[in-house]
């Protein structure tokens, strides 16, 4: 706790960041079911996962995946992302 406090963070913040980063990477894998992504990052239901994902990126997991795949298809590469991990519109 002291080291986290020295870094001006908390265990919950670190865990939330890891969940967010893992969820974003996993949602980009279009073969993975979103329910599997939700349970992998520690959510017991899709409702909570959708809420958290939208808080992290500004988009639902489905919207994020669609925008990412469309951007990738149009450019032939992965689109640039905003600092929060969400794709640019």
């Amino acid at each position: 706790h002291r080291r986290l406090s020295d870094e001006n963070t908390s265990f919950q913040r670190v865990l939330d960041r890891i969940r967010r980063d893992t969820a974003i990477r996993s949602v980009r894998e279009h073969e993975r079911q979103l329910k599997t992504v939700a349970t992998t990052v520690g959510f017991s239901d899709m409702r909570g996962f959708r809420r958290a994902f939208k808080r992290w990126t500004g988009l639902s997991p489905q919207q994020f995946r669609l925008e990412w795949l469309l951007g990738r298809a149009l450019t032939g590469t992965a689109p640039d992302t905003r600092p929060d991990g969400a794709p640019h519109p």
Side-chain angles (χ1 to χ4, degrees):
H1 285 296
R2 188 176 68 236
R3 287 186 185 172
L4 290 171
S5 185
D6 290 345
E7 296 290 327
N8 199 27
T9 192
S10 67
F11 177 77
Q12 191 59 47
R13 285 186 189 147
V14 172
L15 179 61
D16 197 49
R17 217 173 303 133
I18 291 168
R19 282 180 169 167
R20 180 197 66 209
D21 294 347
T22 301
I24 289 170
R25 275 193 310 274
S26 298
V27 166
R28 288 179 177 164
E29 298 172 18
H30 69 278
E31 309 88 26
R32 291 191 76 179
Q33 291 185 359
L34 293 176
K35 184 172 175 123
T36 303
V37 174
T39 56
T40 299
V41 296
F43 289 87
S44 58
D45 62 69
M46 282 299 296
R47 194 168 156 205
F49 176 63
R50 275 192 295 271
R51 225 177 15 252
F53 198 90
K54 191 158 189 171
R55 179 172 41 90
W56 295 327
T57 67
L59 300 168
S60 72
Q62 296 87 347
Q63 291 169 320
F64 182 92
R65 179 177 277 174
L66 180 62
E67 286 193 21
W68 191 79
L69 289 172
L70 285 173
R72 188 172 180 182
L74 291 173
T75 64
T77 61
D80 293 329
T81 55
R82 299 188 308 227
D84 63 5
H88 286 290

